[in-house]
Amino acid sequence: MREQLEKIKASALAAIQNASVTDALEAVRVGVLGKKGELTAVLKQMGKLSAEERPVMGQLANTVRAELEKKLEARKAELEAAALEAKLEAEALDVTIPGKEVEMGHQHPMNKVLQEVKEIFIGMGYTIVDGPEVEEAAYNFTRLNIEEGHPSRDRSDTFYFDDDDKVLLRTQTSPMQIRVMEHQQPPIRILAPGRVFRKDEADATHSPMFHQIEGLVVDEGITMGDLKGALETLIKRLYGEDAVCRFRPHHFPFTEPSCEVDMQCFKCRGKGEIDGQVCSTCHGEGWIELLGAGMVHPKVLEGCGIDSKKYSGFAFGIGLERMAMGRLKLNDLRLIFDNDVRFLSQF
Ligand code: DAH
């Protein structure tokens, strides 16, 4: 029995040393020390031994078992450490490899210009307000002193929802003047940017959807001088101190007197032509129309419950795309709406 035990021990030790994965090690353990293992089988024969031999062999068997268990444990720890090492090796990150470049998006150039305009007016104490794009004809026209039959109410220019011509896609941001004044007494100082819609064919300077920024100031003693000051501040901040603009008399039903403001064409510098060719940016005018403005008509103030003897105000409506074209030196409005990344990524 002694030789048997020695043999089992020797072959088990060799098998333990040869096991290269923990599964193999476990197989060795079960094969020797398990219920049906070799050593267990030997122990089962213990009863056949003489009374003197039994304790000696019992002790030897226990020593062998203890030694094998210790070896199994040690080898297991060794294999696990090696496996961990291999795993770490395989998963190692080379932090010196250059990363994949992530392309960052950015604000649309027109939004950037809008943000600049907003900040200029916020700096002058204006509040930004927002209003509906689906508007009532009463706000878009009637209460702005644009009567029934006025050409700008024509179906060929305006997107109406129904045959009764009562609800429409706003053609201008000016209805925001009424929406603010009917709820608020002066002093009023607001800026209302937003989308507007007209039945225009798209070309270099027109689009059926475009953006306006409405401004309205109502208080005691407001004059045309205040209007000029506000708009000149805007133009100089946006285009630089040497920017040239002109105020031209005009007519709008909701302001009296009214004017339009143009900036000198940034392409031909006001000449209207480049190398003998008509300038395509200003169509030979030398000027680019930026906005309409004027002193709020007393009828409009009174219609909103504001005392026109006590208060006066000015209003303006800026074409945001026109403003952006000047700011970004674009000669075609459609570039702004095409959303071609080759264009957008330049800004
Ligand atoms: N709403 C006008 C337009 O779309 C622009 C305008 C002119 C706005 C004069 C105003 C204004 O507030 O006072 O052509």
Side-chain angles (χ1 to χ4, degrees):
M1 183 170 270
R2 182 183 290 277
E3 287 108 68
Q4 237 182 324
L5 285 171
E6 292 295 346
K7 233 176 98 190
I8 291 171
K9 180 178 151 188
S11 78
L13 285 177
I16 290 170
Q17 205 48 48
N18 284 338
S20 56
V21 289
T22 50
D23 281 354
L25 205 57
E26 177 61 10
V28 174
R29 192 188 68 77
V30 172
V32 181
L33 305 178
K35 261 189 210 158
K36 293 178 184 160
E38 289 174 65
L39 189 66
T40 320
V42 172
L43 288 175
K44 277 182 189 157
Q45 291 164 21
M46 208 64 97
K48 292 179 193 160
L49 295 176
S50 65
E52 301 88 69
E53 267 185 317
R54 214 177 293 152
V56 182
M57 282 306 140
Q59 205 181 0
L60 180 61
N62 279 337
T63 321
V64 170
R65 165 181 281 276
E67 193 175 339
L68 290 181
E69 277 173 351
K70 213 169 128 195
K71 279 273 154 25
L72 279 166
E73 208 47 50
R75 183 67 182 149
K76 192 175 169 205
E78 232 173 76
L79 290 178
E80 279 174 354
L84 180 64
E85 188 70 22
K87 193 164 174 239
L88 289 177
E89 186 88 2
E91 285 177 2
L93 287 180
D94 182 349
V95 291
T96 64
I97 293 175
K100 281 191 193 140
E101 201 178 333
V102 179
E103 253 194 78
M104 292 289 282
H106 60 73
Q107 272 201 328
H108 191 282
M110 207 182 53
N111 251 321
K112 287 187 185 173
V113 176
L114 173 59
Q115 201 53 40
E116 286 177 14
V117 174
K118 278 188 187 174
E119 272 161 25
I120 292 167
F121 281 105
I122 288 171
M124 293 193 276
Y126 289 60
T127 305
I128 311 295
V129 297
D130 198 12
E133 290 171 0
V134 175
E135 185 56 283
E136 293 175 39
Y139 287 85
N140 195 84
F141 295 128
T142 318
R143 297 181 69 180
L144 285 165
N145 200 29
I146 305 172
E147 285 158 11
E148 303 264 350
H150 189 279
S152 70
R153 297 182 75 136
D154 206 283
R155 287 207 185 145
S156 60
D157 293 332
T158 303
F159 294 102
Y160 288 101
F161 280 83
D162 286 307
D163 288 342
D164 62 8
D165 293 357
K166 281 204 162 83
V167 181
L168 44 76
L169 288 177
R170 67 178 174 191
T171 62
Q172 50 184 356
T173 45
S174 301
M176 284 309 294
Q177 295 183 28
I178 308 297
R179 289 193 173 273
V180 169
M181 286 193 287
E182 70 179 357
H183 290 303
Q184 191 187 331
Q185 282 293 312
I188 293 170
R189 199 172 269 132
I190 58 105
L191 198 71
R195 290 196 286 189
V196 300
F197 307 84
R198 288 183 200 174
K199 286 189 183 170
D200 276 333
E201 292 286 332
D203 66 17
T205 49
H206 292 88
S207 156
M209 188 283 290
F210 57 102
H211 296 77
Q212 286 189 339
I213 308 172
E214 195 75 13
L216 174 70
V217 171
V218 187
D219 204 346
E220 287 182 52
I222 297 291
T223 68
M224 197 87 183
D226 297 309
L227 167 64
K228 255 193 118 187
L231 294 177
E232 272 175 0
T233 303
L234 168 71
I235 288 165
K236 294 214 183 298
R237 292 259 175 88
L238 211 55
Y239 297 123
E241 282 300 317
D242 54 353
V244 183
C245 62
R246 69 174 183 189
F247 286 70
R248 206 163 24 79
H250 199 76
H251 170 76
F252 294 104
F254 39 94
T255 42
E256 182 58 38
S258 307
C259 63
E260 277 192 333
V261 180
D262 305 330
M263 69 175 284
Q264 198 177 64
C265 178
F266 56 86
K267 208 80 188 190
C268 63
R269 298 211 160 270
K271 290 195 186 69
E273 54 164 58
I274 302 171
D275 302 331
Q277 302 271 7
V278 173
C279 173
S280 64
T281 303
C282 63
H283 303 293
E285 295 286 323
W287 296 91
I288 299 170
E289 186 192 315
L290 282 184
L291 58 94
M295 300 304 292
V296 183
H297 199 296
K299 257 171 101 172
V300 175
L301 291 174
E302 295 289 343
C304 294
I306 291 176
D307 182 354
S308 65
K309 297 214 173 51
K310 185 168 178 203
Y311 297 110
S312 56
F314 67 77
F316 55 86
I318 304 169
L320 176 57
E321 283 79 4
R322 297 279 174 85
M323 194 124 243
M325 284 170 80
R327 181 76 179 78
L328 308 172
K329 309 250 186 289
L330 309 176
N331 59 4
D332 196 320
L333 182 86
R334 284 165 293 192
L335 289 168
I336 293 178
F337 298 118
D338 281 349
N339 283 334
D340 186 328
V341 281
R342 288 169 301 182
F343 165 74
L344 295 176
S345 59
Q346 295 172 45
F347 301 98

